[in-house]
Amino acid sequence: MLKPNSTAVTEFLFEGFSSFGWQHRLVLFVVFLILYLMLSISETCYTVAIIPHMLYGHLNPYQPIAIQGCATQLFFYLTFGINNCFLLTAMGFDHYVAICKPLRYSMIMGKEACVQLASGSLEIGLCMATVQVTSVFGLPFCDDFVISHFFCDVRPLLKLACTDTTVNEIINFVVSVCVLVLPMGLVFISYVLIISTILKIASTEGRKKAFATCASHLTVVIIHYGCASIIYLKPKSQSSLGQDRLISVTYTVITPLLNPVVYSLRNKEVKDALYKAMGQKPLSS
């Protein structure tokens, strides 16, 4: 039920970076556009739900988004964001098998296992996103329609709802624990086992190579999970939308930029696979 003398909201307006001057917004537009063009393909689906509208917002900060468009953006953002969380976990498991069980790697991480891990990550993302979007957009919105963010996210939207959101906050917290704490725990266990195995390697060169294999992935894991945890797991009383907005830039724009490092072509085996895929002679031949 709407509050007395209130007006039902049918569209939202992003506050984004509208407080910045035109010159600063233009600089941000150019910087984020360049970063976006450098993103790896694996993050495209995740960022395409956010970055294009954000870029447009730098040029035209007072362009509203329909409530249906906001729900669509949130759905795809959550789907692929959660998908990435579990893909990073799968990569941690892949590194664990490669370093701790190298002789069984091809048997454990075969094509079937890789397909199951990838499809499972996407399915979890779809299910969790559906729960979140249904929860948020089942609420009434009235009067206030300015989102204190640069994209449609759960907490900024809940603050605009003109009804009690306690149940929705609980749902958001439970989902956040499932998609952040659980994967983080699995990655942590993987790296404890990986590091203990690496330290047993007699060769210094072998230890360096093993650490180098995991360093870039671990960097992305720390930034991605760390920033997301600060936003979604901290108590509502300590929530600051202005701070959350800046942190969100890190894991929606900066973290994907690191993926070219994670999926680096410095690895000889990866280079050989790329040459084969292109129908050229592998370097190892």
Side-chain angles (χ1 to χ4, degrees), residues 43-73:
E43 290 284 354
T44 300
C45 293
Y46 170 51
T47 57
V48 78
I50 302 170
I51 306 299
H53 200 286
M54 183 189 74
L55 291 172
Y56 185 61
H58 291 314
L59 302 179
N60 186 4
Y62 301 106
Q63 180 66 30
I65 183 173
I67 195 167
Q68 296 87 350
C70 188
T72 301
Q73 185 187 63

Side-chain angles (χ1 to χ4, degrees), residues 9-277:
V9 167
T10 59
E11 61 182 21
F12 296 107
L13 180 65
F14 294 118
E15 181 180 355
F17 301 93
S18 58
S19 59
F20 290 21
W22 163 252
Q23 294 86 350
H24 291 114
R25 293 204 313 273
L26 183 59
V27 170
L28 286 173
F29 173 82
V30 173
V31 170
F32 287 149
L33 176 61
I34 292 173
L35 292 178
Y36 178 59
L37 293 176
M38 293 174 63
L39 295 175
S40 63
I41 295 176
S42 64
E43 290 284 354
T44 300
C45 293
Y46 170 51
T47 57
V48 78
I50 302 170
I51 306 299
H53 200 286
M54 183 189 74
L55 291 172
Y56 185 61
H58 291 314
L59 302 179
N60 186 4
Y62 301 106
Q63 180 66 30
I65 183 173
I67 195 167
Q68 296 87 350
C70 188
T72 301
Q73 185 187 63
L74 179 62
F75 175 77
F76 284 108
Y77 161 69
L78 290 175
T79 295
F80 293 109
I82 295 170
N83 175 54
N84 284 341
C85 285
F86 284 92
L87 283 179
L88 287 172
T89 306
M91 289 178 65
F93 177 69
D94 176 77
H95 288 162
Y96 160 74
V97 177
I99 293 174
C100 301
K101 301 180 183 297
L103 298 180
R104 300 180 58 195
Y105 180 83
S106 58
M107 181 179 68
I108 297 175
M109 295 301 295
K111 287 185 178 180
E112 185 178 347
C114 292
V115 170
Q116 289 176 347
L117 288 172
S119 60
S121 298
L122 183 58
E123 288 172 7
I124 293 173
L126 287 169
C127 292
M128 294 296 187
T130 300
V131 170
Q132 283 281 55
V133 172
T134 303
S135 168
V136 172
F137 287 93
L139 297 170
F141 297 95
C142 49
D143 297 329
D144 192 2
F145 64 99
V146 178
I147 301 176
S148 297
H149 216 317
F150 58 89
F151 67 95
C152 293
D153 201 2
V154 177
R155 280 197 165 177
L157 286 169
L158 291 180
K159 285 186 176 292
L160 296 182
C162 48
T163 188
D164 181 63
T165 60
T166 302
V167 174
N168 308 81
E169 295 282 353
I170 293 173
I171 292 173
N172 180 51
F173 180 77
V174 171
V175 170
S176 299
V177 169
C178 291
V179 303
L180 291 173
V181 176
L182 177 59
M184 274 194 298
L186 294 175
V187 171
F188 176 75
I189 293 172
S190 296
Y191 274 98
V192 167
L193 297 173
I194 288 171
I195 292 173
S196 64
T197 301
I198 291 175
L199 293 177
K200 296 176 183 177
I201 299 176
S203 168
T204 302
E205 187 64 28
R207 287 198 298 270
K208 287 183 179 179
K209 185 177 179 180
F211 274 121
T213 302
C214 303
S216 53
H217 171 254
L218 192 56
T219 300
V220 174
V221 165
I222 291 172
I223 296 176
H224 185 85
Y225 286 135
C227 292
S229 297
I230 291 173
I231 294 175
Y232 295 107
L233 294 178
K234 67 181 177 183
K236 183 180 178 180
S237 58
Q238 298 178 14
S239 179
S240 168
L241 292 181
Q243 183 186 58
D244 290 353
R245 192 184 319 170
L246 293 176
I247 296 174
S248 295
V249 171
T250 302
Y251 75 86
T252 57
V253 179
I254 305 301
T255 304
L257 185 63
L258 298 176
N259 272 8
V261 178
V262 178
Y263 307 114
S264 173
L265 294 180
R266 292 176 299 171
N267 184 286
K268 181 172 172 293
E269 287 75 18
V270 175
K271 287 181 179 179
D272 286 347
L274 179 62
Y275 276 108
K276 288 180 180 179

